[in-house]
């Protein structure tokens, strides 16, 4: 009963003290979601002096970001009225950096329908999510761990004795294979292009063909004549 009551009770009201709702924002770039991914994304833009409007629906995250000098506004990117208040209609680029794939999908759907002139960049959770984002028409998407994983793998190769130039070539090959597999998957599904992905299992080698222990039995005189001629002309090369 306690569990049921807890589920039926409205969630505790979150204090909005010190948090400002998005309203009349005019940044050249609208960045939706300001977690660890978006915080890094913001750095090169700010370094270039590009004006960014930041919205986030996690009050604690907004307060934490404020401690580091960021002005982040409260706003739910899945709501069209909030997108308008956040300046989506004036932004040149809209960056969808939320951490939940289903939320990102909803935001992308709204943005593509309501703000077709804006370029849409999206953070993808995994490969399947990347595929959905491409099919939804985003201008750019990237799996959140892809680049860091490649850099991680490259450093392992170098520390294990691989020349840095050779390590870079290996990473380039992995990247190209991944790109080709992704294109195949867009049309053929997640199972397509599996041969392009290296794995740690040995591919079984087919057994060589061997002659049957018993010869074929002719079912009529004509077939018997053909078998007799084949056996009289057979050589080790043709039977092996």
């Amino acid at each position: 009963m306690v569990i049921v009551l807890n589920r039926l009770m409205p969630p505790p009201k979150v204090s909005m003290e010190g948090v400002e709702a998005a309203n009349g924002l005019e940044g050249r770039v609208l960045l939706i979601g300001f977690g660890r991914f978006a915080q890094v994304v913001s750095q090169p833009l700010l370094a270039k002096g590009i004006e960014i409007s930041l919205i986030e629906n996690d009050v604690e995250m907004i307060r934490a970001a404020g401690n580091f000098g960021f002005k982040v506004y409260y706003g739910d990117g899945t709501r069209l009225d909030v997108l308008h208040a956040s300046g989506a209609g004036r932004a040149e680029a809209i960056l969808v950096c939320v951490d939940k794939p289903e939320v990102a999908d909803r935001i992308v759907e709204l943005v593509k329908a309501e703000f077709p002139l804006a370029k849409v960049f999206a953070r993808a959770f995994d490969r399947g999510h990347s595929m959905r984002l491409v099919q939804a028409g985003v201008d750019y998407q990237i799996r959140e761990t892809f680049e860091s994983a490649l850099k991680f793998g490259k450093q392992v190769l170098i520390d294990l004795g691989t020349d840095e130039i050779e390590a870079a070539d290996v990473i380039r090959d992995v990247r190209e294979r991944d790109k080709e597999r992704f294109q195949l998957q867009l049309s053929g599904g997640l199972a397509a292009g599996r041969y392009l992905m290296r794995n740690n299992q040995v591919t079984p080698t087919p057994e060589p063909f061997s002659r049957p222990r018993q010869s074929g039995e002719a079912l009529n005189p004509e077939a018997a004549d053909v078998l007799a001629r084949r056996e009289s002309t057979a050589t080790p090369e043709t039977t092996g």
Side-chain angles (χ1 to χ4, degrees), residues 86 104 200:
S86 302
N200 65 343

Side-chain angles (χ1 to χ4, degrees), residues 118-179:
K119 293 184 179 297
V120 183
F121 299 76
R123 165 194 184 181
F125 176 72
D126 56 17
R127 201 174 195 85
H129 190 211
S130 287
M131 293 168 62
R132 295 203 305 275
L133 291 170
V134 170
Q135 291 159 352
V138 300
D139 294 276
Y140 181 80
Q141 56 73 36
I142 188 169
R143 303 195 300 280
E144 58 186 8
T145 59
F146 183 68
E147 290 296 332
S148 58
L150 288 181
K151 288 184 177 294
F152 189 98
K154 179 181 177 182
Q155 191 59 48
V156 173
L157 290 177
I158 293 172
D159 284 9
L160 291 179
T162 304
D163 177 81
E164 190 161 348
I165 295 177
E166 183 182 354
D169 288 339
V170 170
I171 296 301
R172 189 179 303 110
D173 176 69
V174 173
R175 191 188 299 277
E176 289 302 316
R177 282 171 170 265
D178 183 86
K179 182 178 178 181

